[in-house]
Amino acid sequence: MRGDLVRKLAARCLSTGLAVLAFVVLALTDATGWGLALAVAAVVASAVEQRVRPGADLVAETTLIAAAVLVGYWRRLDDGVDLALVATALVLLGLVLLVGPLRTAGNLEMRTANLPVRTWTPLVADQLGTALLGLPAVVALAAALTVPAAVPLVASLLVGAGVGAVALDLARRRFRPGAGGGAVGRALRRHQPEFVLYFSAPPGSEYQVTMWLPYLERIGRPFLVMLREPEFLAPIAAATDAPVVYCPTLRAMDEALVPSLRAAFYVNHGAKNSHCIRFTQLTHVQLHHGDSDKAPSANPVSRIFDRIFVAGPAAIDRYARAGVQIPADKFVVVGRPQVESIQVRQEPARGLAHPTVLYTPTWTGHHADADYCSLPVAEQLLRRLLERGATVILRAHPYTTQNPASARQLGRLTELLTADRARTGRQHVFGSAARELSLTECVNSSDALVSDVSGVISDYLYSGKPYAVTDMGGEGDRFVKRFPLAASGYVLRRDLSNVDEVLTDLLDTDPLAEARWATRRRYLGDFPAESYAEAFLSAARRELTSAPDTAAERSPQLSPLA
């Protein structure tokens, strides 16, 4: 996160500084050539800032750059007042004032992928800022070559015509929508989806969807993915052939949630889920994006769903333990289909001389009571693992870099593993190399796990291999009561006072090998390995089959949340 902030601040300072400097040089000095060069550099810096800070407001910088270039052009021509140059200035000013509102209007339009429908206007509107930056660069080049002012005027008018076309189309969409809904709604009605995967989350959370897409596709029914944030459109569309629709507004949702839909699936407890829950004609099913003993896994908000798919009976007990009262008939035990490809080790592997250990520190959470992150003590832990000849797979949570302290700690671990790899030749896996591997690949490549309280432990449990859990709250005996999954693992104290004992149990003696199998059934269900994912697929198909299907029942209905 700190690195992101530094990059954003540097990009902001560079673009603003160069824009101001270009204007000062061109307006107050005779160094026209240098001023035009600075203006072009400011354009480049502003373009870089747009990449670093998507959606950044560059109106002030663009205005300064345009003014500087026009002053430089006037100095170059040295012909007094040039009406073409005045017209160019007016067009540029109008474009600067229009681009921001048009981008905002474009962001209120639906966007789609994997659907045969044109949504070019919102995409063009989103790129108008870049086009507007390119125009002063063209004017600066014309000034440097001392071409007639009519040339930049024509270029400005062409860009202005494009902006006008976008504005007219956006106005038509807003004030004169097509009969029977828009193009997206018509295309979805032709597609006839039976369920929707609804998703809203902070940036970097697309893994919550991509882990479920292969299993939703295996249901064998047409479906769509509905997104509430635009940055997820490209990565999620690349992971599926199903239609993906970005719905920025409730009106857009009304169009996309077509009558053929029977159910809505969710993978988190995002605040915007309520926007879809209001459609009471759908059966609403919470899938979760992991199974763990974390407090958020027993979120009281789960009550709003019609069905809660859980991996095993332990998840139901977790809600009861947290005092969250939910009717038993809402729960459906479906296993954790994502573990079906994990290789199971039936016999304990004791006395490993050169083990491979998967270390998966979690993030700090949104609140202090959900901070299970072990990164503050991880350097000492990894040193002890390296002393035992271990090869380490370091796979941090995707949100880790959102916390500056965690980002620094993770950086030190990377340096430590890099140095050890150079010294010993052990092929540690970390950084981008670890993120390129799926969790299943990491599990299959390892002999043991060290993890914080997280859903990774539940997945690892399927392998039958040993794991250690960090007690970062310093809860001692209460830790296993709060996080029962830790009872079948080896609990590592916050101060690492028992690290040698834990690593001996983990990598050498493994006294809890038998106990893990009973825990595995409680947490992951008791389903045959050869057809493990069928439990989820069958449950999902039942929800689609049992959903109401008469014309009266399928008519749009809104709950009081609307």
Side-chain angles (χ1 to χ4, degrees):
M1 183 175 180
R2 185 181 68 167
D4 289 341
L5 288 174
V6 170
R7 284 194 296 274
K8 290 176 181 179
L9 182 61
R12 183 66 172 164
C13 291
L14 187 62
S15 62
T16 304
L18 285 173
V20 171
L21 186 60
F23 181 79
V24 169
V25 169
L26 285 166
L28 302 180
T29 74
D30 293 327
T32 305
W34 283 105
L36 291 173
L38 286 170
V40 173
V43 167
V44 173
S46 297
V48 170
E49 183 180 0
Q50 278 195 334
R51 292 182 62 87
V52 176
R53 300 175 58 233
D57 183 2
L58 300 178
V59 172
E61 288 87 342
T62 306
T63 303
L64 272 175
I65 295 169
V69 168
L70 289 168
V71 169
Y73 211 133
W74 173 72
R75 288 179 179 276
R76 283 277 184 172
L77 293 177
D78 198 27
D79 289 333
V81 177
D82 190 307
L83 294 180
L85 196 59
V86 173
T88 302
L90 292 175
V91 173
L92 278 173
L93 177 61
L95 291 175
V96 169
L97 295 176
L98 275 175
V99 163
L102 288 181
R103 282 186 61 185
T104 300
N107 287 335
L108 295 177
E109 294 293 324
M110 300 170 73
R111 302 183 197 176
T112 66
N114 304 336
L115 194 68
V117 61
R118 289 190 311 143
T119 54
W120 64 270
T121 305
L123 295 175
V124 172
D126 194 49
Q127 298 301 317
L128 286 178
T130 302
L132 185 59
L133 280 175
L135 190 54
V138 171
V139 177
L141 179 62
L145 298 176
T146 322
V147 299
V151 173
L153 176 59
V154 170
S156 301
L157 290 174
L158 288 174
V159 174
V163 171
V166 171
L168 288 173
D169 192 56
L170 288 173
R172 179 190 60 79
R173 289 167 177 261
R174 181 64 53 186
F175 300 112
R176 295 184 61 187
V184 175
R186 291 192 295 272
L188 288 174
R189 283 194 290 275
R190 289 192 296 271
H191 181 65
Q192 291 286 296
E194 294 188 26
F195 65 92
V196 57
L197 176 63
Y198 179 91
F199 183 61
S200 174
S205 305
E206 57 268 19
Y207 70 95
Q208 298 178 5
V209 170
T210 55
M211 70 168 61
W212 279 108
L213 286 173
Y215 302 97
L216 297 178
E217 290 169 354
R218 282 166 60 178
I219 292 173
R221 309 285 183 84
F223 71 100
L224 72 98
V225 181
M226 178 179 290
L227 308 175
R228 302 305 308 283
E229 288 80 26
E231 60 267 24
F232 296 121
L233 186 61
I236 291 177
T240 182
D241 292 328
V244 183
V245 181
Y246 161 58
C247 293
T249 63
L250 297 182
R251 188 174 75 170
M253 289 182 61
D254 293 342
E255 179 177 344
L257 292 174
V258 294
S260 60
L261 289 168
R262 298 167 175 264
F265 292 96
Y266 305 78
V267 295
N268 59 30
H269 288 96
K272 290 183 181 178
N273 285 354
S274 62
H275 296 175
C276 192
I277 290 288
R278 68 196 179 100
F279 291 86
T280 56
Q281 75 272 21
L282 302 176
T283 298
H284 300 276
V285 183
Q286 175 61 255
L287 300 178
H288 299 102
H289 58 272
D291 181 86
S292 76
D293 286 329
K294 283 184 174 183
S297 293
N299 195 321
V301 174
S302 294
R303 294 192 190 102
I304 67 176
F305 300 100
D306 300 308
R307 294 285 184 271
I308 305 168
F309 281 13
V310 293
I316 303 174
D317 298 339
R318 188 182 299 132
Y319 281 96
R321 193 169 59 249
V324 179
Q325 301 299 318
I326 296 178
D329 61 358
K330 283 197 173 189
F331 291 104
V332 184
V333 175
V334 299
R336 172 88 172 138
Q338 288 82 2
V339 305
E340 66 173 349
S341 299
I342 290 178
Q343 299 166 3
V344 179
R345 180 182 290 172
Q346 298 289 346
E347 297 297 326
R350 296 185 169 103
L352 297 173
H354 300 287
T356 297
V357 178
L358 172 61
Y359 173 49
T360 58
T362 191
W363 67 305
T364 53
H366 291 299
H367 309 286
D369 63 352
D371 184 359
Y372 309 110
C373 180
S374 64
L375 284 172
V377 300
E379 188 171 353
Q380 181 183 349
L381 170 63
L382 259 61
R383 289 186 185 279
R384 293 299 181 92
L385 285 170
L386 296 178
E387 289 170 5
R388 287 177 174 256
T391 298
V392 176
I393 302 174
L394 171 60
R395 194 172 192 269
H397 192 282
Y399 290 177
T400 297
T401 54
Q402 293 182 6
N403 182 295
S406 295
R408 290 193 297 271
Q409 292 154 359
L410 185 60
R412 287 196 292 270
L413 299 186
T414 298
E415 293 170 1
L416 174 63
L417 294 178
T418 300
D420 186 80
R421 183 167 60 184
R423 184 176 65 255
T424 66
R426 284 180 291 205
Q427 296 302 302
H428 306 297
V429 181
F430 50 87
S432 59
R435 298 308 313 175
E436 289 171 1
L437 297 175
S438 68
L439 179 59
T440 295
E441 290 172 322
C442 292
V443 172
N444 291 341
S445 300
S446 65
D447 298 299
L449 168 73
V450 178
S451 180
D452 305 336
V453 176
S454 75
V456 174
I457 302 175
S458 295
D459 288 0
Y460 203 86
L461 180 64
Y462 189 79
S463 72
K465 293 182 284 193
Y467 57 86
V469 188
T470 61
D471 173 13
M472 294 309 296
E475 298 188 62
D477 294 338
R478 293 174 300 175
F479 183 72
V480 172
K481 292 181 180 179
R482 285 193 63 196
F483 309 105
L485 189 53
S488 296
Y490 307 103
V491 179
L492 192 60
R493 299 182 194 130
R494 178 184 174 86
D495 61 5
L496 298 187
S497 59
N498 66 335
V499 62
D500 291 324
E501 174 188 339
V502 166
L503 292 183
T504 296
D505 289 341
L506 184 71
L507 305 175
D508 190 7
T509 60
D510 193 15
L512 296 175
E514 296 302 321
R516 280 196 300 276
W517 293 106
T519 304
R520 182 178 183 265
R521 288 190 292 273
R522 286 191 61 247
Y523 273 80
L524 296 172
D526 191 11
F527 304 110
E530 62 274 11
S531 58
Y532 186 82
E534 281 301 318
F536 164 74
L537 300 175
S538 298
R541 290 173 187 138
R542 282 196 303 271
E543 295 301 333
L544 296 177
T545 302
S546 62
D549 196 29
T550 66
E553 289 169 321
R554 302 305 301 152
S555 60
Q557 305 170 41
L558 300 183
S559 75
L561 287 172

